[in-house]
Amino acid sequence: MRDDERGSSAAGTEPAGSASLEPAGDRAASPAPAIRPVPPARRRAAAIRGRARELAQEGVRRGSDRARTGLAHLTDRIIENAPRIPVRDLATLRRQFPGLGPEEIADKLVAGAVNASATVGAGVGAAAMLPVPPAMPTELAAEVTGVAAVELKLIAELHEVYGVRPPGNLKDRSTGYLRSWSGERGIDVMKPASVNTALGGQMRRELRQQIMKRMVRNMPNLMPFLVGAAVGAMMNRRDTRKLAERIRGDLRGMQVPWDALPALPPLERPADPLRIEGTPDEPRSPEL
């Protein structure tokens, strides 16, 4: 473009039609605003805060990943243990408790399971008194696994007593009892959805949620000086009794009288039965 199209370009003159936002007299006299440098100490503090924030976020992510991994491992272990739990069938229970009816035998089963789960809680609480106690997640995992074995055995034998044995083989029934334990409900053999034996993602999520609830409730069991042992026994006793009441409430509504039951085959014995502490036929502690 030519100079005449842009206006005069002579030194010290303004282009035609231009306007200034500052008074003409003050424009040359006003100095440029000074930029104050940030002190090195403040820069270092800001960098440290930013790094600490990044480390905290990374720690939270790693902690969440470890928690999810631990829950998944614990869920898999409980699923693996379920078919190994020895369950007494109705004929065996009637021989062991002669002359008792369904409610009386169920009372005996609940009392035994409550004492067994209390024993597991007391053992974990006492372990916190050791000079070098095991890692806290390990203690909680051992307790949840042990109590789950006790309660799964109770659920299976209550279904036998009330005459509502789920259909299928050992693996199918074990999966049904896992679903019953995670939902704290009895298995309705007349509803196919209640007897669904598929180990899908939804069931695993329900198991993880139940395991997480148990671990959070069992945190006080780790208090030292025998307090944790007493608290663990009391809380496990209460939780197992509450679970039994819910299961029995459901099973009473679908109970089949003994004289109306068809001839049922004996239950299969697991090839590698799990040892459960506090029960009459399995005196050792449950394996983790």
Side-chain angles (χ1 to χ4, degrees):
M1 297 177 64
R2 299 183 315 179
D3 290 342
D4 57 349
E5 292 178 353
R6 292 182 288 129
S8 174
S9 59
T13 62
E14 294 288 346
S18 65
S20 175
L21 298 178
E22 298 179 3
D26 297 338
R27 194 181 310 160
S30 58
I35 300 176
R36 300 180 59 184
V38 180
R42 184 175 298 179
R43 290 199 302 269
R44 286 195 298 269
I48 292 173
R49 285 195 299 269
R51 182 56 178 164
R53 189 179 303 111
E54 293 176 359
L55 291 176
Q57 293 173 351
E58 183 179 358
V60 170
R61 285 194 298 269
R62 289 184 178 179
S64 300
D65 293 341
R66 285 194 296 267
R68 283 192 294 268
T69 302
L71 280 176
H73 174 75
L74 191 52
T75 301
D76 292 340
R77 181 51 60 97
I78 291 177
I79 292 174
E80 293 171 2
N81 284 345
R84 299 176 54 201
I85 297 174
V87 178
R88 293 169 289 182
D89 54 26
L90 178 59
T92 302
L93 291 170
R94 294 184 70 178
R95 285 196 305 268
Q96 292 184 357
F97 302 101
L100 299 183
E103 292 297 330
E104 291 80 8
I105 295 180
D107 290 339
K108 296 284 188 182
L109 296 179
V110 172
V114 165
N115 291 333
S117 62
T119 302
V120 174
V124 172
M129 293 185 58
L130 298 175
V132 184
M136 184 175 65
T138 303
E139 293 184 38
L140 292 177
E143 180 172 10
V144 171
T145 306
V147 173
V150 171
E151 293 178 349
L152 286 170
K153 179 179 176 67
L154 172 64
I155 289 172
E157 293 180 351
L158 285 176
H159 281 77
E160 289 289 317
V161 168
Y162 285 99
V164 285
R165 178 192 296 183
N169 55 24
L170 175 61
K171 182 179 179 181
D172 296 336
R173 290 193 304 273
S174 300
T175 306
Y177 297 141
L178 282 169
R179 184 179 297 277
S180 176
W181 181 75
S182 63
E184 300 183 354
R185 301 300 303 268
I187 301 174
D188 189 352
V189 296
M190 303 303 295
K191 295 181 180 180
S194 180
V195 197
N196 184 11
T197 58
L199 272 172
Q202 179 180 357
M203 181 177 176
R204 290 181 180 271
R205 285 193 297 270
E206 293 173 355
L207 283 172
R208 287 195 294 268
Q209 291 172 0
Q210 178 72 355
I211 292 169
M212 177 60 75
K213 287 194 302 183
R214 288 300 183 98
M215 294 188 76
V216 171
R217 286 204 300 262
N218 293 350
M219 286 290 290
N221 302 7
L222 301 175
M223 292 186 294
F225 306 117
L226 284 181
V227 177
V231 172
M234 182 270 294
M235 294 186 67
N236 283 352
R237 185 187 301 272
R238 181 201 63 190
D239 290 343
T240 300
R241 190 179 299 278
K242 186 182 300 184
L243 173 69
E245 291 174 356
R246 293 177 179 174
I247 299 295
R248 291 179 71 178
D250 289 341
L251 296 180
R252 287 189 186 103
M254 59 188 86
Q255 180 177 2
V256 178
W258 290 348
D259 54 2
L261 281 175
L264 296 175
L267 292 176
E268 310 97 297
R269 293 289 297 180
D272 183 19
L274 192 68
R275 302 288 184 173
I276 304 176
E277 182 178 2
T279 55
D281 49 344
E282 288 85 26
R284 292 175 54 189
S285 300
E287 301 173 9
L288 177 60

